[in-house]
Short mmCIF file of all heavy atoms in Angstrom, two decimals:
data_model
loop_
_atom_site.label_atom_id
_atom_site.label_comp_id
_atom_site.label_asym_id
_atom_site.label_seq_id
_atom_site.Cartn_x
_atom_site.Cartn_y
_atom_site.Cartn_z
N GLN A 335 96.28 195.69 119.54
CA GLN A 335 97.29 194.62 119.61
C GLN A 335 98.68 195.20 119.88
O GLN A 335 99.44 194.69 120.72
CB GLN A 335 97.29 193.85 118.29
CG GLN A 335 98.20 192.63 118.28
CD GLN A 335 98.18 191.89 116.95
OE1 GLN A 335 97.35 192.17 116.09
NE2 GLN A 335 99.11 190.97 116.76
N VAL A 336 99.01 196.29 119.19
CA VAL A 336 100.32 196.94 119.39
C VAL A 336 100.44 197.46 120.81
O VAL A 336 101.46 197.24 121.49
CB VAL A 336 100.51 198.10 118.38
CG1 VAL A 336 101.72 198.95 118.75
CG2 VAL A 336 100.67 197.56 116.96
N MET A 337 99.41 198.13 121.28
CA MET A 337 99.46 198.72 122.62
C MET A 337 99.64 197.65 123.69
O MET A 337 100.49 197.79 124.59
CB MET A 337 98.20 199.53 122.89
CG MET A 337 98.17 200.21 124.24
SD MET A 337 96.62 201.09 124.57
CE MET A 337 95.49 199.69 124.85
N GLU A 338 98.86 196.59 123.63
CA GLU A 338 98.94 195.56 124.65
C GLU A 338 100.30 194.86 124.64
O GLU A 338 100.87 194.54 125.68
CB GLU A 338 97.81 194.54 124.47
CG GLU A 338 96.41 195.12 124.70
CD GLU A 338 96.24 195.74 126.08
OE1 GLU A 338 96.91 195.26 127.04
OE2 GLU A 338 95.47 196.69 126.23
N THR A 339 100.82 194.62 123.41
CA THR A 339 102.13 193.98 123.32
C THR A 339 103.22 194.89 123.88
O THR A 339 104.11 194.44 124.60
CB THR A 339 102.44 193.61 121.86
OG1 THR A 339 101.38 192.82 121.33
CG2 THR A 339 103.73 192.83 121.76
N MET A 340 103.14 196.16 123.55
CA MET A 340 104.16 197.09 124.05
C MET A 340 104.10 197.22 125.57
O MET A 340 105.14 197.32 126.23
CB MET A 340 103.99 198.46 123.39
CG MET A 340 104.54 198.50 121.96
SD MET A 340 104.40 200.13 121.21
CE MET A 340 105.49 199.90 119.78
N LYS A 341 102.91 197.24 126.11
CA LYS A 341 102.79 197.29 127.57
C LYS A 341 103.52 196.11 128.21
O LYS A 341 104.24 196.26 129.20
CB LYS A 341 101.32 197.29 128.00
CG LYS A 341 100.60 198.61 127.82
CD LYS A 341 99.16 198.50 128.31
CE LYS A 341 98.41 199.84 128.21
NZ LYS A 341 97.00 199.72 128.63
N ARG A 342 103.32 194.93 127.61
CA ARG A 342 103.92 193.72 128.17
C ARG A 342 105.43 193.66 127.93
O ARG A 342 106.20 193.29 128.82
CB ARG A 342 103.24 192.49 127.56
CG ARG A 342 103.64 191.18 128.20
CD ARG A 342 102.91 190.00 127.63
NE ARG A 342 103.29 189.72 126.26
CZ ARG A 342 102.57 190.01 125.19
NH1 ARG A 342 101.39 190.58 125.33
NH2 ARG A 342 103.00 189.73 123.97
N VAL A 343 105.88 194.04 126.72
CA VAL A 343 107.28 193.87 126.33
C VAL A 343 108.15 195.04 126.79
O VAL A 343 109.26 194.84 127.30
CB VAL A 343 107.39 193.69 124.80
CG1 VAL A 343 108.85 193.66 124.36
CG2 VAL A 343 106.67 192.41 124.37
N LEU A 344 107.64 196.26 126.61
CA LEU A 344 108.46 197.45 126.89
C LEU A 344 108.12 198.10 128.23
O LEU A 344 108.95 198.85 128.78
CB LEU A 344 108.27 198.49 125.78
CG LEU A 344 108.63 198.04 124.36
CD1 LEU A 344 108.33 199.15 123.38
CD2 LEU A 344 110.10 197.64 124.28
N GLY A 345 106.92 197.86 128.72
CA GLY A 345 106.50 198.48 129.98
C GLY A 345 105.46 199.56 129.75
O GLY A 345 105.35 200.12 128.66
N GLN A 346 104.68 199.86 130.78
CA GLN A 346 103.55 200.79 130.71
C GLN A 346 103.98 202.21 130.34
O GLN A 346 103.22 202.94 129.73
CB GLN A 346 102.83 200.84 132.07
CG GLN A 346 102.22 199.54 132.54
CD GLN A 346 100.79 199.35 132.05
OE1 GLN A 346 100.20 200.26 131.51
NE2 GLN A 346 100.25 198.16 132.24
N GLU A 347 105.19 202.59 130.73
CA GLU A 347 105.58 204.00 130.59
C GLU A 347 106.66 204.23 129.54
O GLU A 347 107.19 205.34 129.42
CB GLU A 347 106.06 204.52 131.95
CG GLU A 347 104.95 204.51 132.99
CD GLU A 347 105.32 205.18 134.29
OE1 GLU A 347 106.53 205.44 134.49
OE2 GLU A 347 104.43 205.46 135.11
N HIS A 348 106.95 203.20 128.75
CA HIS A 348 107.94 203.39 127.69
C HIS A 348 107.39 204.37 126.65
O HIS A 348 106.21 204.36 126.34
CB HIS A 348 108.27 202.04 127.02
CG HIS A 348 109.44 202.10 126.09
ND1 HIS A 348 109.37 202.60 124.81
CD2 HIS A 348 110.75 201.72 126.27
CE1 HIS A 348 110.55 202.52 124.23
NE2 HIS A 348 111.40 202.01 125.10
N PRO A 349 108.25 205.26 126.09
CA PRO A 349 107.75 206.22 125.10
C PRO A 349 106.98 205.58 123.96
O PRO A 349 105.98 206.14 123.48
CB PRO A 349 109.04 206.89 124.60
CG PRO A 349 109.96 206.81 125.77
CD PRO A 349 109.67 205.49 126.42
N HIS A 350 107.41 204.40 123.48
CA HIS A 350 106.69 203.75 122.39
C HIS A 350 105.32 203.26 122.82
O HIS A 350 104.36 203.31 122.05
CB HIS A 350 107.51 202.57 121.83
CG HIS A 350 108.78 202.99 121.15
ND1 HIS A 350 109.62 202.11 120.52
CD2 HIS A 350 109.34 204.21 120.97
CE1 HIS A 350 110.66 202.77 120.01
NE2 HIS A 350 110.50 204.04 120.28
N THR A 351 105.22 202.79 124.05
CA THR A 351 103.92 202.36 124.57
C THR A 351 102.97 203.55 124.62
O THR A 351 101.79 203.45 124.22
CB THR A 351 104.07 201.75 125.98
OG1 THR A 351 105.04 200.70 125.94
CG2 THR A 351 102.74 201.21 126.48
N LEU A 352 103.46 204.68 125.10
CA LEU A 352 102.62 205.87 125.18
C LEU A 352 102.19 206.35 123.79
O LEU A 352 101.07 206.82 123.60
CB LEU A 352 103.37 206.98 125.92
CG LEU A 352 103.70 206.68 127.39
CD1 LEU A 352 104.60 207.76 127.98
CD2 LEU A 352 102.43 206.53 128.22
N THR A 353 103.09 206.21 122.81
CA THR A 353 102.72 206.57 121.44
C THR A 353 101.60 205.68 120.94
O THR A 353 100.66 206.16 120.29
CB THR A 353 103.95 206.44 120.51
OG1 THR A 353 104.89 207.45 120.87
CG2 THR A 353 103.57 206.62 119.06
N SER A 354 101.67 204.39 121.22
CA SER A 354 100.62 203.48 120.76
C SER A 354 99.29 203.80 121.43
O SER A 354 98.22 203.71 120.80
CB SER A 354 101.02 202.02 121.02
OG SER A 354 101.13 201.76 122.40
N MET A 355 99.33 204.20 122.69
CA MET A 355 98.10 204.61 123.38
C MET A 355 97.54 205.88 122.75
O MET A 355 96.32 206.03 122.56
CB MET A 355 98.39 204.83 124.86
CG MET A 355 98.74 203.56 125.62
SD MET A 355 99.42 203.89 127.27
CE MET A 355 97.99 204.57 128.11
N ASN A 356 98.44 206.82 122.41
CA ASN A 356 98.02 208.05 121.75
C ASN A 356 97.33 207.76 120.43
O ASN A 356 96.28 208.32 120.11
CB ASN A 356 99.25 208.93 121.52
CG ASN A 356 98.94 210.16 120.68
OD1 ASN A 356 98.40 211.13 121.15
ND2 ASN A 356 99.29 210.10 119.39
N ASN A 357 97.89 206.84 119.64
CA ASN A 357 97.31 206.54 118.34
C ASN A 357 95.95 205.86 118.46
O ASN A 357 95.04 206.13 117.67
CB ASN A 357 98.28 205.68 117.53
CG ASN A 357 99.50 206.46 117.07
OD1 ASN A 357 99.53 207.68 117.17
ND2 ASN A 357 100.51 205.76 116.59
N LEU A 358 95.82 204.99 119.45
CA LEU A 358 94.51 204.36 119.67
C LEU A 358 93.49 205.41 120.08
O LEU A 358 92.33 205.38 119.63
CB LEU A 358 94.64 203.27 120.74
CG LEU A 358 93.34 202.54 121.09
CD1 LEU A 358 92.73 201.86 119.86
CD2 LEU A 358 93.59 201.51 122.20
N ALA A 359 93.91 206.37 120.91
CA ALA A 359 93.00 207.45 121.30
C ALA A 359 92.52 208.24 120.09
O ALA A 359 91.35 208.63 120.00
CB ALA A 359 93.70 208.39 122.29
N LEU A 360 93.42 208.44 119.10
CA LEU A 360 93.03 209.17 117.90
C LEU A 360 92.05 208.39 117.05
O LEU A 360 91.18 208.96 116.39
CB LEU A 360 94.27 209.53 117.08
CG LEU A 360 95.26 210.47 117.77
CD1 LEU A 360 96.38 210.86 116.83
CD2 LEU A 360 94.58 211.72 118.30
N THR A 361 92.18 207.07 117.06
CA THR A 361 91.20 206.25 116.34
C THR A 361 89.84 206.34 117.03
O THR A 361 88.79 206.45 116.36
CB THR A 361 91.68 204.79 116.25
OG1 THR A 361 92.89 204.77 115.46
CG2 THR A 361 90.64 203.90 115.58
N TYR A 362 89.83 206.29 118.35
CA TYR A 362 88.56 206.51 119.07
C TYR A 362 87.99 207.87 118.72
O TYR A 362 86.78 208.04 118.51
CB TYR A 362 88.79 206.43 120.59
CG TYR A 362 89.09 205.05 121.13
CD1 TYR A 362 89.86 204.88 122.29
CD2 TYR A 362 88.61 203.90 120.50
CE1 TYR A 362 90.13 203.63 122.81
CE2 TYR A 362 88.90 202.63 121.01
CZ TYR A 362 89.64 202.51 122.16
OH TYR A 362 89.92 201.26 122.67
N TRP A 363 88.85 208.88 118.63
CA TRP A 363 88.44 210.24 118.27
C TRP A 363 87.74 210.23 116.92
O TRP A 363 86.68 210.82 116.74
CB TRP A 363 89.69 211.12 118.24
CG TRP A 363 89.49 212.60 118.17
CD1 TRP A 363 89.48 213.47 119.21
CD2 TRP A 363 89.31 213.40 117.00
NE1 TRP A 363 89.30 214.76 118.77
CE2 TRP A 363 89.20 214.74 117.41
CE3 TRP A 363 89.24 213.11 115.64
CZ2 TRP A 363 89.01 215.80 116.51
CZ3 TRP A 363 89.06 214.15 114.74
CH2 TRP A 363 88.94 215.47 115.18
#
Side-chain angles (χ1 to χ4, degrees):
Q335 186 181 349
V336 169
M337 182 183 73
E338 294 303 330
T339 306
M340 283 182 166
K341 283 181 177 178
R342 188 177 68 256
V343 174
L344 301 177
Q346 298 271 350
E347 296 187 347
H348 190 281
H350 293 184
T351 306
L352 296 173
T353 292
S354 64
M355 293 168 67
N356 172 78
N357 289 349
L358 179 59
L360 297 185
T361 296
Y362 290 152
W363 192 96

